[in-house]
Amino acid sequence: MAVQPARKEGDRNPRSVEEARSLVASIEQLFMPWNVDALVSGFTEDCVVRFGVIPEFSGRAALRKFFEARRAKQKGYRLKKQFRTLANDVMTNVWEGEWEDAGTGQPMKGFGVETWTMRDGKIAIWEAAFNAAPADQDVDISQALR
C-alpha cells in the first residue's frame, strides 16, 4: 500500500494544534521508508530550503535530489517528529532520528528543530538545524563545539 501525500493540492494550512500535529505525524511516516514522491509533493513548487550548513536551495527538483541523497546515505532511517508550535502560517517541530551510515555501516543518531512556513497547505519555506553523531557515543558540550 503506497503512502499518500500529507495534503492534496489546494488544501489550506493547519488552523489548529490538532491539524498541525496530524500534519507532522503524516510527514513523519513518509520517511519510513522514504517516500520521496510524497515528500516532495508536500512542498510548494518554489519552496525554499535552509537545512543546516547546506547552502540554501529552492524548488522541487533540488529538493528531490536532496531527499534522494539522504535516502542513499541513511540506511534504515527511523524518525520521530513532535509538533511544537503553530502561529498563523508558521509551524515548528523537533525530531530525533536513527540510521546506519550506508558508506561506513556506522550506527548514527540525530536531533533537530524545524520551522515550516506554510502556503496553501504545503511547505513553502523549510528551515532546519540539527546535530548528528555516532549512535554508540555520548556527545558532551566540548565535543559539540569543536
Side-chain angles (χ1 to χ4, degrees), residues 50-53 93 95 111-115 126-131:
R50 300 178 188 117
F51 193 89
V53 297
N93 70 80
W95 62 267
F111 173 84
V113 295
E114 298 177 311
T115 301
W126 177 26
E127 298 174 288
F130 67 96
N131 287 301

Side-chain angles (χ1 to χ4, degrees), residues 7-113:
R7 299 258 176 202
K8 294 190 183 340
E9 200 69 41
D11 280 359
R12 63 176 172 74
N13 296 342
R15 294 183 185 163
S16 69
V17 168
E18 294 78 21
E19 288 177 354
R21 189 172 281 125
S22 176
L23 176 61
V24 170
S26 65
I27 290 174
E28 173 189 86
Q29 293 305 306
L30 299 178
F31 284 90
M32 303 176 296
W34 285 87
N35 186 337
V36 173
D37 290 336
L39 285 164
V40 170
S41 74
F43 286 77
T44 62
E45 289 285 343
D46 63 346
C47 64
V48 173
V49 178
R50 300 178 188 117
F51 193 89
V53 297
I54 297 168
E56 179 180 304
F57 61 91
S58 62
R60 284 184 174 167
L63 181 63
R64 178 176 299 282
K65 288 180 185 177
F66 174 72
F67 282 139
E68 291 290 356
R70 283 188 60 199
R71 176 168 64 176
K73 180 86 172 148
Q74 295 175 306
K75 182 179 173 188
Y77 193 57
R78 295 166 311 284
L79 177 66
K80 181 64 182 159
K81 287 183 176 284
Q82 288 186 305
F83 164 76
R84 287 292 190 242
T85 63
L86 172 65
N88 299 316
D89 295 334
V90 178
M91 299 175 51
T92 65
N93 70 80
V94 296
W95 62 267
E96 292 181 46
E98 295 182 0
W99 63 94
E100 180 181 310
D101 182 285
T104 67
Q106 174 79 41
M108 300 293 291
K109 61 183 174 183
F111 173 84
V113 295

